[in-house]
Amino acid sequence: MVKIIGHRGQRHDKTTDDNSLAAFETAFKNCDGIETDVSISAEGTPFLIHDIGRLKIPKLYDRTVNMLKYCLDRASAKKLKGRRIDQINDAAIDTLRLKKGAKIPRLSELFALAAKYPGKEIDIELKGADALRPVLKEIDKAVKKGQIKRSQITLTSFDIHAIAEAAQLAPDIRRGIIFSGKGKGSTEIYPWKKDKTRCYTSFNNAAVKSPVMQAAAPDVAVMHASAISAKKIKMLKDRFPSIKIAIWESAKKPPARNKALKKVLSDPKTAPHISAVITDHPKELAKMTAQNRRKP
């Protein structure tokens, strides 16, 4: 059965901030698990927030966008003064508020909440630069406290090098590569780092066969439904026989109107390889998949 994972807990809700503890609790109650973004403060503390993004339209423009300010209320965005999370200390981050008033949670707070919902999956997207080691440190603490089990965690990232490092440091934790959309390939993820090796990866044969992909040895490939095909799944399976596909379905329109998603989930050539859908609309997706199972 395909698992339903709440993207940023619960997005597009009128009363709840995404990537907030309230959103995560709603998803834990109604889904198989949650997905969240993690960025690191100036003091090395993992906070759950979508920080930096990159917009690229080929031959038109290519720029880094501070996504953080779009997540915050007006007063907090003004405090930000264009800074990234990794340029702000913990105490200052604790004073910021998301658009609907929630605070930016720490990863440790998510794990404390997860203790109330044992066995739920937790997909942690390494969004910020140098996030891996602080995240692994928090995982170790939460496991020792009995809040979570390592088997609940999946570490995902656009940064293949971070996932390859995770394979060395924590080989028992599931790992996933997020493949970028068209036009983002070879675009630096952290341009302020001046590190041209840390780039978004478009799906192609060269990327799948690359040494860093082999070192990462992903358990999961995360892609939009429109990018999934039987041919691509075979290409992945030839290199990584046990790999599964997680669909990343982020859009305002409900799943029932997403033709690509419906096709992938119903096609016998692709459906058996789909392990999860990371969705903005968990309730609608649960209803849609239940209806599909009832069909003769």
Side-chain angles (χ1 to χ4, degrees):
M1 184 182 295
V2 175
K3 293 185 177 180
I4 298 175
I5 307 297
H7 183 219
R8 303 187 198 173
Q10 178 173 294
R11 291 193 74 198
H12 306 311
D13 182 77
K14 292 181 180 180
T15 60
T16 307
D17 285 298
D18 54 291
N19 271 332
S20 67
L21 290 177
F24 298 140
E25 182 146 36
T26 297
F28 278 141
K29 288 177 179 177
N30 298 294
C31 307
D32 297 298
I34 65 102
E35 182 271 354
T36 185
D37 307 294
V38 64
S39 296
I40 307 302
S41 73
E43 297 175 52
T45 302
F47 281 86
L48 306 180
I49 190 73
H50 192 298
D51 193 359
I52 294 298
R54 193 75 183 259
L55 290 182
K56 181 174 182 179
I57 299 178
K59 300 181 181 180
L60 186 58
Y61 67 79
D62 179 1
R63 62 190 177 94
T64 302
V65 179
N66 188 333
M67 300 296 292
L68 179 56
K69 67 179 180 180
Y70 297 112
C71 300
L72 303 177
D73 66 17
R74 188 172 297 179
S76 296
K78 190 174 180 179
K79 283 184 189 178
L80 203 61
K81 296 180 180 179
R83 292 174 296 171
R84 303 183 304 269
I85 280 285
D86 65 0
Q87 296 173 309
I88 310 173
N89 64 33
D90 294 0
I93 293 171
D94 285 335
T95 69
L96 300 176
R97 291 296 177 265
L98 300 170
K99 282 192 176 295
K100 299 180 181 74
K103 67 182 291 249
I104 300 173
R106 302 179 184 215
L107 182 58
S108 58
E109 293 175 301
L110 171 62
F111 290 153
L113 175 64
K116 295 166 54 180
Y117 303 93
K120 295 288 184 172
E121 297 207 3
I122 304 171
D123 181 327
I124 300 172
E125 181 185 339
L126 305 174
K127 181 67 72 175
D130 305 316
L132 175 63
R133 289 174 184 267
V135 166
L136 291 178
K137 185 177 179 180
E138 290 296 338
I139 291 172
D140 287 343
K141 287 181 183 178
V143 170
K144 286 179 182 177
K145 290 178 181 178
Q147 294 173 330
I148 61 167
K149 294 181 179 179
R150 295 169 80 84
S151 58
Q152 292 174 245
I153 305 295
T154 303
L155 298 174
T156 63
S157 185
F158 287 103
D159 184 354
I160 298 180
H161 292 272
I163 299 303
E165 187 178 3
Q168 293 296 315
L169 297 176
D172 58 328
I173 295 179
R174 280 193 307 273
R175 303 175 300 281
I177 300 295
I178 308 173
F179 287 98
S180 66
K182 293 180 180 179
K184 268 197 173 182
S186 301
T187 300
E188 292 173 54
I189 302 173
Y190 319 115
W192 64 94
K193 287 278 192 178
K194 308 297 182 184
D195 184 352
K196 294 186 181 296
T197 66
R198 307 277 177 148
C199 295
Y200 291 96
T201 302
S202 297
F203 190 100
N204 55 54
N205 198 36
V208 173
K209 290 182 176 180
S210 68
V212 67
M213 187 72 76
Q214 304 308 305
D219 303 291
V220 183
V222 184
M223 294 185 279
H224 284 296
S226 58
I228 297 171
S229 67
K231 182 179 179 180
K232 287 183 178 179
I233 291 174
K234 183 180 184 306
M235 195 184 300
L236 282 166
K237 289 279 186 177
D238 285 346
R239 289 280 168 172
F240 310 104
S242 61
I243 198 168
K244 291 290 186 179
I245 311 297
I247 298 173
W248 171 28
E249 186 269 322
S250 177
K252 288 189 176 181
K253 64 181 180 180
R257 291 173 54 197
N258 187 328
K259 293 181 180 179
L261 177 65
K262 292 173 73 176
K263 183 178 184 298
V264 169
L265 291 177
S266 61
D267 187 340
K269 293 181 181 179
T270 55
H273 305 285
I274 309 300
S275 62
V277 179
I278 302 165
T279 177
D280 286 355
H281 306 278
K283 291 181 181 178
E284 292 87 344
L285 181 61
K287 183 178 179 180
M288 187 185 87
T289 54
Q291 289 173 341
N292 290 343
R293 286 195 295 271
R294 288 196 296 267
K295 289 179 181 179

